[in-house]
Amino acid sequence: MIQSKIEKLKSIKLHSIKIAIFLSIFLSMHLYGQTNSNNTNTVSYSSYMEAIRDLIPEMKINAVAETNAEMNLLSAKSSGDVNLTAQLGAIGTYGANSTVSSMGGQSAEATGIRAGIGVGSLIPYSGTRWSVNLTHNSYLDGRIYYGNGGSDKFQNYYPSLTIEVSQPLLRNFFGALDKYPIKNAEYSLTIAKLQRRLDDTSVLASYQKIYYQWIMYEKLLSYYRSMYITARNFENQMRARYQNGLIDNDSYQNARSQTMVYSDYYAQNRVYLDSLLTSIAFFIPDITNYSPDHATWDAYLNLGSNMEMENVAFGDSVNGQIAYQSRLQAEYVLEAMKSGNLPDLSIVGSVNLNGITPNTTGYFKSFGSMTNVDFFAGVQFSYPIGDRANKAQYKLAENSLYGIIAQYEQAEKNYNTQLQTYISRFSAYKNLMESKRAQIRAINSRIATQMQKLEQGRVEVDDLLTSRLELVNSQTQLLNLQYEFITTIFDYRTLLAIDSQ
């Protein structure tokens, strides 16, 4: 009789296990069919980065900032461009002058044309300004009036060549202010290039992290799916035991509850993954048809386990170079503003070649009459009373330098804090991952022993359920630790502007 009952129980148990396996496969196919699709293709890390690199909006913005700095420098250098001027138009005169008197007349009226051309420029880094202008007044239709009421027609041509040069001695000495826009723009461009390198590395790192986050979610979903199937099988076994009076209801209900816990874990992380894929879809529209290369995860973990983080000095980092260049720029601006507070004292000179009297021999022949030379050589002085504008500019430059020095100290402090944080985390995560792996091995060993005891009826179901839940939590923690370990390497390289491509 007893043997018959035992055989009956074995038959029921075997039948229940078959039903459990069928239900678990059916439910897992229904619940998790999305991730098991055979239509997905693997996208490598390098292909992913190549696909998105040129589309990242932040990098386009960074490129614009550098281009603007280049254009500002080009604009500043335009102060040394040669300026060409030309004029052509009608002229007229009416009245008496020394020329009319020398011709015996009392008054005259005349109309004609004026043509002129000139060039001028600033010699960069010298403060020297020069110009050459050629002007030609041609009175083609003129009439002179005499005191007796008579008049005569006349024509005359009056060319003039003027050369002017000025050289500052105090304010803007040797172009201190003229070259300020150029030097200032050069500093700004250097800083912009360094800043773009830093910003581009940071932006790329954020998208590199997304790839590894994508892998992590898929790993978690795969693990939760596996644990759900195991838990569902176990739940069905416990149902059979409960129905046969081998365990109490609370143990069976606890098994059911744990199955739902894994289902919830899966659903929650599915939401996280879908949200992540939505952001990637901006760059790769059909991203749902792809899956990341999970081998990349292990490869980067191996890379990290064999590397050491160097304690790079602030001055040798890109952050330090930006801060240093900003300080040099502020110091230069202050020196330029000192020159701006000086009086404007310049050596000036001009030479004018013209005719003593208008020439009447023709438009081109008139150039031969340019025998008269007028010149001026001396100094020119000007200084605004009060000079409030220049004094304010100097004070602003002085305050800016103080601020830059403070920012340098703050940037150095923040850099060193971040660097030491990443180095500490890197070392700590290495130890924590190894500790977590050892913990997982211990839990797996415990579960294996508990399974044997369960078959022998020597352990409570709840103990096994607790161990499995602890295993899931530890495995999840390990994956999170691995992700934090990987992203810490990215953060470290971002701080040093090292491209992790």
Side-chain angles (χ1 to χ4, degrees):
M1 178 70 70
I2 295 175
Q3 183 67 29
S4 176
K5 287 184 177 181
I6 292 174
E7 292 298 327
K8 184 179 180 181
L9 286 173
K10 287 182 177 180
S11 176
I12 292 172
K13 179 178 179 182
L14 181 61
H15 182 67
S16 299
I17 291 173
K18 288 181 178 179
I19 293 174
I21 293 173
F22 172 78
L23 287 172
S24 64
I25 293 174
F26 174 78
L27 288 170
S28 63
M29 289 176 63
H30 176 72
L31 183 60
Y32 306 114
Q34 281 182 306
T35 320
N36 289 330
S37 172
N38 293 323
N39 295 326
T40 58
N41 301 308
T42 299
V43 55
S44 67
Y45 172 76
S46 58
S47 298
Y48 161 82
M49 291 305 299
E50 183 179 352
I52 72 171
R53 180 183 284 268
D54 294 334
L55 300 176
I56 297 175
E58 295 91 333
M59 294 187 68
K60 295 178 181 179
I61 295 172
N62 296 342
V64 169
E66 181 179 336
T67 301
N68 288 342
E70 291 175 347
M71 294 303 100
N72 287 336
L73 176 57
L74 182 63
S75 176
K77 289 182 176 180
S78 68
S79 60
D81 293 347
V82 175
N83 186 39
L84 174 66
T85 60
Q87 59 177 330
L88 177 65
I91 57 173
T93 185
Y94 178 81
N97 52 45
S98 58
T99 302
V100 174
S101 298
S102 66
M103 297 174 66
Q106 292 184 330
S107 64
E109 60 181 22
T111 57
I113 60 173
R114 173 179 294 170
I117 189 170
V119 290
S121 179
L122 163 71
I123 300 178
Y125 303 105
S126 69
T128 305
R129 296 181 182 276
W130 63 272
S131 65
V132 178
N133 292 281
L134 176 63
T135 304
H136 200 308
N137 292 337
S138 304
Y139 294 98
L140 304 176
D141 183 16
R143 183 173 291 276
I144 186 170
Y145 297 95
Y146 304 106
N148 59 7
S151 64
D152 288 320
K153 287 184 176 182
F154 74 93
Q155 291 180 335
N156 66 45
Y157 306 91
Y158 190 76
S160 174
L161 176 66
T162 304
I163 301 174
E164 296 182 328
V165 178
S166 67
Q167 174 64 56
L169 297 178
L170 294 178
R171 188 176 189 272
N172 195 28
F173 179 64
F174 277 104
L177 295 180
D178 290 334
K179 63 187 174 185
Y180 160 72
I182 300 175
K183 290 291 292 181
N184 192 50
E186 287 176 346
Y187 279 119
S188 295
L189 178 57
T190 300
I191 294 170
K193 287 180 178 293
L194 291 169
Q195 190 64 53
R196 181 185 178 184
R197 179 182 166 190
L198 193 65
D199 292 343
D200 281 357
T201 305
S202 177
V203 169
L204 282 175
S206 67
Y207 286 95
Q208 289 162 342
K209 289 178 183 178
I210 287 177
Y211 186 85
Y212 287 90
Q213 198 173 18
W214 186 9
I215 296 176
M216 183 184 70
Y217 284 139
E218 286 202 350
K219 282 180 173 290
L220 285 172
L221 290 177
S222 177
Y223 184 68
Y224 292 147
R225 183 191 311 115
S226 173
M227 290 305 297
Y228 171 83
I229 294 172
T230 300
R232 188 67 177 173
N233 289 336
F234 188 75
E235 176 192 335
N236 291 328
Q237 293 175 29
M238 294 305 101
R239 180 191 297 113
R241 291 193 178 199
Y242 168 64
Q243 290 173 346
N244 289 291
L246 299 179
I247 61 172
D248 295 328
N249 178 59
D250 58 344
S251 295
Y252 166 59
Q253 296 300 331
N254 285 341
R256 288 188 62 197
S257 176
Q258 190 167 105
T259 303
M260 289 184 283
V261 167
Y262 300 142
S263 177
D264 291 345
Y265 283 170
Y266 184 95
Q268 290 171 2
N269 281 272
R270 183 76 235 183
V271 171
Y272 299 150
L273 177 58
D274 288 343
S275 176
L276 187 72
L277 292 178
T278 299
S279 64
I280 302 176
F282 175 83
F283 306 100
I284 309 175
D286 57 342
I287 192 62
T288 53
N289 296 325
Y290 291 92
S291 180
D293 183 5
H294 288 212
T296 307
W297 179 278
D298 295 329
Y300 212 84
L301 286 176
N302 291 333
L303 172 68
S305 63
N306 295 319
M307 70 172 285
E308 294 293 334
M309 289 188 175
E310 297 182 14
N311 195 351
V312 180
F314 177 67
D316 297 331
S317 69
V318 175
N319 283 280
Q321 294 174 39
I322 291 174
Y324 178 68
Q325 291 294 324
S326 298
R327 183 168 179 170
L328 288 181
Q329 182 181 30
E331 290 173 347
Y332 172 75
V333 171
L334 184 61
E335 286 300 316
M337 293 303 103
K338 285 182 180 179
S339 178
N341 281 327
L342 297 174
D344 187 357
L345 178 64
S346 301
I347 296 176
V348 294
S350 64
V351 177
N352 179 259
L353 182 64
N354 54 61
I356 298 178
T357 59
N359 189 286
T360 60
T361 58
Y363 190 85
F364 294 102
K365 293 181 180 179
S366 62
F367 285 103
S369 69
M370 296 170 59
T371 58
N372 187 52
V373 177
D374 298 325
F375 72 90
F376 171 78
V379 294
Q380 179 176 289
F381 177 86
S382 68
Y383 187 74
I385 303 300
D387 198 23
R388 287 175 290 185
N390 287 323
K391 289 179 180 178
Q393 290 294 324
Y394 179 80
K395 189 62 179 178
L396 286 173
E398 193 174 44
N399 289 340
S400 177
L401 177 59
Y402 293 152
I404 292 294
I405 292 174
Q407 290 174 10
Y408 184 97
E409 295 170 350
Q410 183 182 33
E412 184 174 19
K413 179 180 72 68
N414 292 341
Y415 169 85
N416 288 328
T417 300
Q418 284 184 296
L419 181 62
Q420 294 307 316
T421 298
Y422 297 147
I423 293 175
S424 296
R425 285 181 184 174
F426 180 75
S427 177
Y429 287 146
K430 274 187 179 181
N431 296 330
L432 285 171
M433 287 189 298
E434 189 57 40
S435 174
K436 192 59 66 176
R437 292 188 188 99
Q439 184 181 352
I440 290 172
R441 289 193 295 268
I443 296 173
N444 278 322
S445 178
R446 186 207 311 164
I447 290 174
T449 302
Q450 287 176 335
M451 286 293 294
Q452 293 176 353
K453 289 182 177 180
L454 181 65
E455 292 299 321
Q456 299 168 1
R458 295 188 299 117
V459 70
E460 292 292 334
V461 172
D462 291 351
D463 292 339
L464 179 58
L465 294 175
T466 300
S467 295
R468 282 181 171 169
L469 192 58
E470 186 179 347
L471 175 63
V472 170
N473 289 334
S474 295
Q475 188 65 49
T476 301
Q477 290 170 4
L478 176 60
L479 280 171
N480 278 292
L481 279 171
Q482 290 174 333
Y483 176 73
E484 291 297 330
F485 179 71
I486 290 171
T487 56
T488 296
I489 298 174
F490 282 131
D491 291 336
Y492 169 79
R493 290 184 166 183
T494 297
L495 185 64
L496 300 180
I498 301 174
D499 192 351
S500 300
Q501 177 65 16

